[in-house]
Amino acid sequence: MKREDLRNIALIAHVDHGKTTIIDGLLRQSGIFRLNEKVQERVMDNIDLERERGITIMAKNTAIDYQGVKINIVDTPGHADFGGEVERTLKMVDGVLLLVDASEGPLPQTRFVLKKALEFDLPPILVINKIDRADARIQEVLNEVYDLFIDLDATEKQLEFPIVYTNAKLGIAKLHPDEDAKDFRCLFELILSAVPPPEGDKEGRLKLLVTNIDYNDYVGRIAIGRIFSGSIRVGDWVSMLNGRAEPVKTKVTSLYEFQGLERVEVKEASAGDIVALSGLEGINIGDTIADVEDPEPLPRIAVDEPTISMVFSVNTSPFAGQEGKYVTSRNLRERLEKELLYNVSIKVDFDSTDSFKVMGRGELQLAILIEMIRREGYELSVSMPESITKNINGVIHEPMEHLVIDVPEEFIGVVTQQIGIRKGRMQKMNNNGHGRVRLEFRIPSRGLIGFRSQFLTDTRGTGLFNHIFDGYEPWHGPIIKRSTGTLVADRPGKTTTYALHHLQPRGTLFIKENTLVYEGMVIGENSRENDLDVNVIKEKKLTNVRAAGSDGALQLIPPKILSLEQAIEFIKEDELVEVAPLSVRIRKKILESNKRPRYRN
């Protein structure tokens, strides 16, 4: 049975191609907001980090009404590191809006999300966005999308996708680039005609797949998912089926549907609906909510394996406990266990007592997790990211990445040289004649650790690069991570202008004057390849010849203050990043300088 009054659709795209802005326009034009209601931009990005960085981190649901049809929309992240969010949300929908920038064209994440959509046999609607850009190349981008579909072995039916051209900021959509349009009407019409209505037997046995988890202080855990068969009512007894398909009988205490940005309480929902329900203690992502009499599990959500790991441990520096509210290994363990309930693409090894190996899709995903944890008042230390290897037929294999770089022509040489050092191989080079070149490489995942800051320095901030997991290859041998050493404080105290001034020629400093330091804390980057223990608290000796006031003449170069991500990229195997709610410091694993040579040997 088909539900003609309902459509379920996901928005998929590469990062920064305008998904959240399109949803803003759809919400506004569907009449969800009052005429005089003040609504912020990118209304779906409701996490502080999402608004700060301009990226979507968590998949979110909304729903609008158009001509009596309810359209459930899922906004998915566009960054490869949050691919786990995309994989599970595609289970809920019957079609996708594939969004592509009119200038940048399809990028690695576009390939990843489209491949997943084609595997699930979801009909796509191609949305070419930002058609107002001065460097828009609409026809070329359309050809690139067709090439991508063919490359991903799309069927003839999948190749006959409808196309719509949009300017999401102005809220206009048209079927031909030269048409006049004032709103998103043709996009609404396309969704109704091209996305099939959900199918399901309303009278059948209940089957609901949980694809997201939320939490509310009043009702506890809230399971979000789609009903594939049957109906559910408030007060019903249902069976929860976990990964081992063991049924647990429980009662539904409340039931919600999505309307705009809010959840609306309903008494009943049936096959095809995307709902949120509470009263199910211990429910997890991938679980099935089924009929009490005849519980039958749905296939669990399959998520690609993690490729990067980091060790999260208790902060053991002399400054531990000064800023954080949660500083013990028990606190850290509980926080990571809580993360596993929400985040299907992260895995944690809890074998050790005070350090935990956290595995994820990439540096950015783990950096975002660390940033969220520190904002909640936790203190911890994190190690250098490492790639997760596999043993295939007795040979060690490592994860590879498909890397796409877009740079001005004059930087081709320096970028190619840097990637060559990191064992990358060029696969494709495309010069579109606008002064910029697109290069495609295949490179080991560990070759990209610490590459971002080097790349931005080499291209003077004008380069763009994107990457996505691309299978495994035999181990490529050692890769030089950082050719420089560090400047390490050799005693505790407060830094002085006099000491820092005399250290400036040695390299780049990371700290200012009057900063508290401890022995073993990294205070700068040495210009040579060895580590150097330095005295940063040294004061000027006062005599009757030298006056104390002449220190004012010493000029300090502004220090390079590292962000959390830059610090994670910077460290080597024998270093840690100390993360506290207000500070990020780099330190040596062994703080005492006289014990470090033994550790190195």
Side-chain angles (χ1 to χ4, degrees):
M1 191 182 76
K2 293 190 174 182
R3 293 270 310 267
E4 293 295 342
D5 62 334
L6 189 63
R7 298 290 185 278
N8 296 323
I9 193 160
L11 258 127
I12 57 174
H14 191 84
V15 67
D16 207 26
H17 281 193
K19 295 182 305 303
T20 312
T21 312
I22 283 235
I23 289 186
D24 279 4
L26 291 170
L27 285 167
R28 282 192 174 89
Q29 292 184 29
S30 66
I32 287 290
F33 307 122
R34 297 189 311 276
L35 288 174
N36 61 346
E37 191 173 344
K38 263 196 93 152
V39 184
Q40 61 185 10
E41 269 190 21
R42 293 188 292 114
V43 70
M44 292 291 281
D45 286 347
N46 54 12
I47 301 172
D48 288 345
L49 268 174
E50 291 182 323
R51 302 202 66 78
E52 286 168 26
R53 291 167 180 257
I55 59 173
T56 302
I57 294 168
M58 302 287 282
K60 296 176 204 69
N61 298 63
T62 185
I64 54 180
D65 282 305
Y66 181 75
Q67 294 184 355
V69 178
K70 182 177 183 181
I71 303 171
N72 281 312
I73 303 172
V74 187
D75 182 18
T76 62
H79 200 286
D81 283 18
F82 307 107
E85 297 287 310
V86 179
E87 287 162 349
R88 60 190 169 91
T89 49
L90 290 182
K91 283 272 191 182
M92 286 201 282
V93 297
D94 303 296
V96 293
L97 288 182
L98 176 69
L99 208 66
V100 179
D101 188 296
S103 168
E104 292 180 9
L107 286 169
Q109 180 69 0
T110 320
R111 183 188 188 89
F112 170 79
V113 290
L114 178 60
K115 181 169 173 248
K116 295 290 174 191
L118 294 177
E119 280 172 13
F120 290 133
D121 202 20
L122 299 173
I125 297 172
L126 176 63
V127 181
I128 297 183
N129 190 28
K130 305 189 185 182
I131 54 172
D132 57 321
R133 280 183 65 156
D135 56 351
R137 42 187 197 96
I138 296 167
Q139 192 53 48
E140 287 172 51
V141 165
L142 183 54
N143 293 340
E144 285 172 16
V145 173
Y146 275 117
D147 290 343
L148 178 59
F149 268 79
I150 292 163
D151 201 25
L152 292 173
D153 298 328
T155 62
E156 280 191 32
K157 188 183 172 188
Q158 287 170 330
L159 277 167
E160 292 168 6
F161 51 82
I163 305 157
V164 63
Y165 304 89
T166 62
N167 178 344
K169 275 207 161 167
L170 297 181
I172 55 174
K174 37 198 177 181
L175 296 175
H176 299 285
D178 307 324
E179 270 182 8
D180 270 344
K182 295 185 174 64
D183 52 29
F184 274 152
R185 187 170 302 160
C186 74
L187 180 55
F188 281 114
E189 299 286 349
L190 256 183
I191 291 171
L192 297 194
S193 61
V195 177
E199 289 189 40
D201 182 6
K202 189 178 176 181
E203 306 302 323
R205 300 261 184 218
L206 173 66
K207 285 182 190 172
L208 185 155
L209 183 68
V210 178
T211 56
N212 208 347
I213 295 283
D214 203 352
Y215 187 82
N216 182 300
D217 288 336
Y218 300 105
V219 297
R221 299 186 69 144
I222 297 172
I224 299 167
R226 173 175 166 174
I227 304 171
F228 284 90
S229 160
S231 301
I232 192 166
R233 295 171 197 81
V234 176
D236 276 1
W237 285 92
V238 294
S239 279
M240 292 188 321
L241 298 164
N242 57 21
R244 295 182 296 279
E246 298 163 353
V248 177
K249 193 177 171 185
T250 186
K251 188 178 182 181
V252 178
T253 55
S254 49
L255 185 65
Y256 309 89
E257 283 187 353
F258 294 90
Q259 191 61 43
L261 304 175
E262 279 151 29
R263 292 194 194 121
V264 183
E265 279 208 56
V266 291
K267 293 292 177 200
E268 183 182 0
S270 58
D273 282 322
I274 292 176
V275 294
L277 54 160
S278 61
L280 314 170
E281 203 50 52
I283 191 95
N284 286 313
I285 290 170
D287 289 357
T288 302
I289 296 167
D291 189 82
V292 169
E293 305 297 328
D294 182 17
E296 193 182 321
L298 287 162
R300 284 187 79 78
I301 295 165
V303 175
D304 287 353
E305 291 288 308
T307 57
I308 295 283
S309 71
M310 289 169 78
V311 176
F312 289 25
S313 53
V314 177
N315 183 12
T316 55
S317 89
F319 293 168
Q322 291 184 4
E323 297 173 15
K325 197 162 50 165
Y326 308 106
V327 295
T328 65
S329 60
R330 182 175 58 82
N331 296 140
L332 186 57
R333 176 189 282 269
E334 284 171 1
R335 178 61 183 83
L336 291 172
E337 283 171 348
K338 184 180 162 192
E339 186 66 28
L340 289 175
L341 302 176
Y342 297 84
N343 200 331
V344 289
S345 57
I346 274 184
K347 291 185 178 176
V348 184
D349 181 353
F350 289 113
D351 285 352
S352 180
T353 50
D354 57 356
S355 62
F356 312 107
K357 188 177 182 180
V358 181
M359 294 159 272
R361 286 285 180 87
E363 272 178 283
L364 179 67
Q365 185 191 22
L366 295 177
I368 293 275
L369 171 60
I370 296 164
E371 183 65 44
M372 284 178 166
I373 289 175
R374 76 182 271 227
R375 289 185 182 199
E376 292 166 21
Y378 289 80
E379 276 190 25
L380 65 153
S381 298
V382 297
S383 72
M384 182 187 95
E386 294 177 359
S387 61
I388 299 169
T389 56
K390 274 187 176 181
N391 193 320
I392 302 172
N393 300 328
V395 179
I396 291 178
H397 283 61
E398 63 175 325
M400 302 295 290
E401 302 279 330
H402 175 69
L403 173 68
V404 177
I405 284 181
D406 193 300
V407 288
E409 287 172 345
E410 64 263 31
F411 299 122
I412 294 174
V414 67
V415 168
T416 310
Q417 183 188 358
Q418 275 297 331
I419 290 174
I421 293 169
R422 294 162 182 269
K423 311 281 185 188
R425 300 190 305 271
M426 190 186 289
Q427 310 239 287
K428 212 171 179 184
M429 180 171 172
N430 185 16
N431 189 337
N432 57 22
H434 298 303
R436 290 183 76 88
V437 180
R438 182 169 289 187
L439 309 165
E440 295 188 22
F441 298 89
R442 191 170 159 89
I443 184 170
S445 295
R446 63 197 166 102
L448 291 176
I449 295 169
F451 175 64
R452 185 182 297 272
S453 46
Q454 177 72 45
F455 172 75
L456 290 173
T457 306
D458 289 343
T459 61
R460 297 178 199 160
T462 58
L464 300 166
F465 89 91
N466 299 284
H467 58 92
I468 192 146
F469 172 66
D470 191 25
Y472 286 84
E473 271 188 18
W475 184 260
H476 282 247
I479 293 176
I480 297 166
K481 182 167 189 306
R482 191 182 78 219
S483 57
T484 55
T486 52
L487 302 172
V488 188
D490 66 357
R491 65 200 74 190
K494 204 177 253 189
T495 57
T496 63
T497 308
Y498 178 74
L500 293 178
H501 177 75
H502 288 91
L503 283 173
Q504 282 179 159
R506 296 278 191 176
T508 308
L509 296 177
F510 298 156
I511 56 169
K512 297 187 262 194
E513 67 277 16
N514 288 324
T515 304
L516 282 167
V517 296
Y518 53 80
E519 183 184 359
M521 179 171 152
V522 173
I523 59 100
E525 182 178 6
N526 190 5
S527 51
R528 299 191 178 180
E529 59 186 40
N530 60 309
D531 292 340
L532 195 64
D533 290 308
V534 293
N535 179 0
V536 283
I537 65 167
K538 188 177 179 184
E539 292 185 342
K540 186 175 173 185
K541 293 285 181 285
L542 303 183
T543 66
N544 58 357
V545 178
R546 295 188 180 89
S550 59
D551 258 8
L554 299 179
Q555 291 290 311
L556 287 182
I557 300 163
K560 180 183 178 182
I561 307 292
L562 296 181
S563 66
L564 174 62
E565 275 170 68
Q566 288 171 325
I568 290 169
E569 285 184 358
F570 179 81
I571 58 173
K572 282 187 178 175
E573 295 88 345
D574 64 334
E575 291 157 353
L576 296 171
V577 179
E578 179 189 344
V579 184
L582 304 175
S583 326
V584 173
R585 304 181 191 93
I586 297 175
R587 52 162 283 193
K588 289 290 181 184
K589 279 185 181 173
I590 310 290
L591 295 178
E592 298 90 339
S593 54
N594 58 340
K595 290 183 184 172
R596 253 176 263 141
R598 209 181 324 156
Y599 172 78
R600 271 201 298 272
N601 294 337

